[in-house]
Amino acid sequence: GCGGEYTSSSGMIRHPLSGGNYQNNENCIWIIRGSEPINITFVSFDIESGYDYLYVRDGTSSGSNSLGRFSGDGEPDAVQITTNAAYLLFTSDGSVTRTGFEITWAPSAVSITDPPTTQPPTTQPPTTQLPTNQSTTTQPQGCGGEYTSSNGMIRHPLSGGNYQNNEICIWIIRASEPINITFVSFNTESGFDHFYVRDGANSGSNLLGRFSGDGEPDAIQTTTNAAYMLFTSDRSINKSGFEITWEPYVR
């Protein structure tokens, strides 16, 4: 339940995902692939000093240039990636665990925003087309991405505040088994801004729900090993968005 690959201009990694302490003898690898150099920010950091480590490398492999080895309690300074990718390795020894860490990443020259929140599903089937009052077909900076991971988190917008008008954001999760998607928070303009979840990796996959409004919907289980998520906002009124987590679905 640790590690994964992320193809996204911005995002978040929290370890462990659901709170508590990480485990002994962990060896977790995350690979981030962006379309440009990224800035990695430490939101929180607490691991056993001198024994448990987070390594950050400037590239996609264990042989890429090292940008830092971090251990102890307290957030390190931000790390600048010069390539379009980062390789992160976390290791823990056989005793003593801590609360772990949370990082975010964004394009080096651009600040990012949080992901939208969610609302219970409606019976009306969604469409991937924009509402008629939307005027753009461009996915905004720092919105959407592809995740190859058994568990993870998506928050939109990422850094707080409200999402933007005229957004079209697509996230695709590819796992090794069906997943359970949990809504941690959800707040979008009711009836106008929508979050769609589909059971598969594309816009034609079976619809599991269309969510809008304020309040966390019930958890969603996929039957395939993938989820396709689309968020659209119209040209007026925005809210604080949403946060979701996913993990393997235990039947």
Side-chain angles (χ1 to χ4, degrees):
C2 83
E5 188 165 330
Y6 304 85
T7 304
S8 175
S9 296
S10 63
M12 164 189 289
I13 295 170
R14 179 189 296 161
H15 184 67
L17 183 61
S18 57
N21 288 4
Y22 55 80
Q23 300 178 18
N24 293 321
N25 300 311
E26 286 192 335
N27 188 15
C28 309
I29 295 171
W30 295 268
I31 296 174
I32 301 169
R33 301 178 188 272
S35 57
E36 57 192 305
I38 59 172
N39 182 66
I40 296 175
T41 301
F42 292 87
V43 178
S44 63
F45 194 86
D46 183 15
I47 66 177
E48 184 189 11
S49 181
Y51 296 93
D52 303 340
Y53 294 96
L54 177 68
Y55 303 84
V56 180
R57 293 183 176 273
D58 194 358
T60 59
S61 73
S62 59
S64 300
N65 183 48
S66 176
L67 295 178
R69 182 181 75 161
F70 307 100
S71 186
D73 181 13
E75 295 75 43
D77 292 337
V79 175
Q80 303 287 334
I81 304 296
T82 61
T83 68
N84 293 358
Y87 176 99
L88 288 74
L89 167 67
F90 173 71
T91 63
S92 61
D93 70 355
S95 64
V96 185
T97 60
R98 304 289 189 185
T99 56
F101 58 88
E102 179 177 317
I103 67 164
T104 63
W105 71 91
S108 294
V110 182
S111 62
I112 50 180
T113 52
D114 288 337
T117 53
T118 49
Q119 173 82 8
T122 70
T123 55
Q124 183 179 358
T127 170
T128 55
Q129 282 189 316
L130 284 174
T132 55
N133 60 349
Q134 282 189 309
S135 58
T136 182
T137 57
T138 304
Q139 182 163 300
Q141 181 69 55
C143 152
E146 188 164 332
Y147 302 82
T148 305
S149 174
S150 297
N151 54 43
M153 166 191 289
I154 293 170
R155 180 190 297 159
H156 182 67
L158 185 60
S159 57
N162 290 356
Y163 54 80
Q164 300 176 21
N165 295 324
N166 299 317
E167 286 193 336
I168 310 172
C169 308
I170 296 170
W171 296 267
I172 298 173
I173 299 171
R174 301 179 190 273
S176 57
E177 56 195 308
I179 58 173
N180 184 73
I181 298 172
T182 301
F183 293 89
V184 179
S185 63
F186 193 87
N187 183 18
T188 69
E189 184 190 10
S190 183
F192 295 93
D193 301 341
H194 298 278
F195 183 63
Y196 305 91
V197 181
R198 293 183 177 272
D199 193 3
N202 61 63
S203 60
S205 301
N206 183 49
L207 177 68
L208 295 177
R210 182 182 77 159
F211 309 98
S212 185
D214 184 12
E216 294 76 42
D218 293 336
I220 295 176
Q221 292 78 40
T222 67
T223 62
T224 69
N225 295 356
Y228 175 99
M229 296 174 294
L230 166 69
F231 174 71
T232 65
S233 61
D234 70 358
R235 61 186 179 186
S236 65
I237 304 179
N238 44 45
K239 302 288 187 179
S240 57
F242 59 86
E243 180 177 318
I244 66 165
T245 63
W246 72 92
E247 60 190 353
Y249 175 48
V250 180
R251 301 178 189 275

